[in-house]
Amino acid sequence: MIFDIDIAKQVAKSLLQIKAIILQPNNPFVWASGWLSPIYCDNRKILSFPKERTFIRQNLVNIIRKQYQNSNIVAGVATGGIPHGILVAEELGLPFIYVRSSVKEHGKQNQIEGHYNERDSVIMIEDLISTGKSSLDARRAIQDAKLDVKAIISIFNYGFKKAEKNFKKETCEYVSLCNYKILLEEALKINYINKKDIPLLESWSKAPEKWNPNG
């Protein structure tokens, strides 16, 4: 779900302008999974641009204030969600924790770092949602610690059907500032891509695991 269409359009433009997102339909990137992708997204880059960083932070905060105002702790998902989660928690004056991708192998063997209490009401911050697997794994870790996860909020969402099914199966609410569909619309408006690129870019989002620009 997108929080606000007008905000989503501005986020899309900003991510393209600062090159946090790069589109290369004819020279795809290779993901760790082996999938070919026409898009590269690194929302950590937002942190280097104060104006864009502030805009993102304020709108993540607005989602929480308007839809999840009773939440009392913010959780960042490692690694990209941690810095943005800290900024959100600071503005809201709330405690912050973060969730590792796996249990720490030494020391106290924590997966969740920071102070929390059972039954705390948690908002999770993600930088990016693809299939939703890592986000939902982090959510389970928080729930296993007997905390109540209200929703997962992300800066960007690829809009995969697989993610939609995964979140629905887990009955987990999720909200994004921007998604792939809106990104393509705005990229076309500012001449970042050509109209002829759209069919190829759209075909990737429908079947990313099988996509190949060469057919």
Side-chain angles (χ1 to χ4, degrees):
M1 184 178 75
I2 290 299
F3 173 58
D4 181 280
I5 294 297
D6 290 332
I7 289 170
K9 291 178 180 179
Q10 183 57 54
V11 170
K13 290 176 185 175
S14 296
L15 295 180
L16 290 167
Q17 287 167 353
I18 67 173
K19 297 183 180 179
I21 287 182
I22 300 171
L23 291 170
Q24 293 182 181
N26 297 305
N27 184 24
F29 302 95
V30 181
W31 285 4
S33 61
W35 292 4
L36 295 178
S37 170
I39 180 173
Y40 179 78
C41 181
D42 181 5
N43 286 326
R44 287 167 294 196
K45 203 163 188 179
I46 297 166
L47 302 168
S48 300
F49 295 85
K51 180 182 175 182
E52 288 76 12
R53 184 181 68 212
T54 298
F55 184 74
I56 295 294
R57 183 195 75 234
Q58 288 174 339
N59 282 290
L60 290 172
V61 166
N62 286 342
I63 294 174
I64 297 171
R65 284 177 171 160
K66 291 182 179 180
Q67 297 181 200
Y68 306 104
Q69 63 269 29
N70 294 324
S71 303
N72 58 14
I73 193 165
V74 175
V77 180
T79 57
I82 293 176
H84 294 287
I86 291 171
L87 293 170
V88 167
E90 178 68 17
E91 180 151 335
L92 289 169
L94 292 177
F96 175 78
I97 59 176
Y98 72 86
V99 190
R100 296 176 180 272
S101 57
S102 60
V103 174
K104 194 164 128 181
E105 294 182 357
H106 56 278
K108 295 174 67 178
Q109 299 182 325
N110 294 334
Q111 185 167 2
I112 302 172
E113 298 289 358
H115 177 76
Y116 56 87
N117 299 302
E118 289 186 8
R119 294 182 294 280
D120 273 341
S121 180
V122 182
I123 284 293
M124 294 174 59
I125 301 295
E126 268 280 26
D127 67 322
L128 174 67
I129 290 176
S130 54
T131 64
K133 183 182 182 301
S134 59
S135 303
L136 291 168
D137 285 347
R139 177 178 180 255
R140 288 187 206 100
I142 293 175
Q143 289 179 314
D144 288 346
K146 297 183 172 56
L147 282 75
D148 178 24
V149 177
K150 293 300 182 184
I152 298 174
I153 303 174
S154 70
I155 296 169
F156 189 74
N157 187 333
Y158 287 124
F160 294 157
K161 289 292 182 183
K162 187 171 185 179
E164 188 178 329
K165 290 178 182 177
N166 287 339
F167 279 97
K168 185 175 182 180
K169 182 179 178 181
E170 298 286 337
T171 61
C172 177
E173 289 188 34
Y174 66 110
V175 186
S176 301
L177 289 180
C178 184
N179 64 16
Y180 186 68
K181 180 176 181 294
I182 292 171
L183 179 81
L184 294 188
E185 292 171 357
E186 295 307 306
L188 187 59
K189 286 179 185 177
I190 63 174
N191 297 315
Y192 187 98
I193 55 174
N194 298 314
K195 195 171 183 179
K196 65 180 177 62
D197 295 323
I198 293 295
L200 186 59
L201 288 162
E202 289 180 338
S203 67
W204 172 75
S205 65
K206 293 173 183 175
E209 70 281 4
K210 300 177 182 177
W211 184 83
N212 190 313
N214 299 315

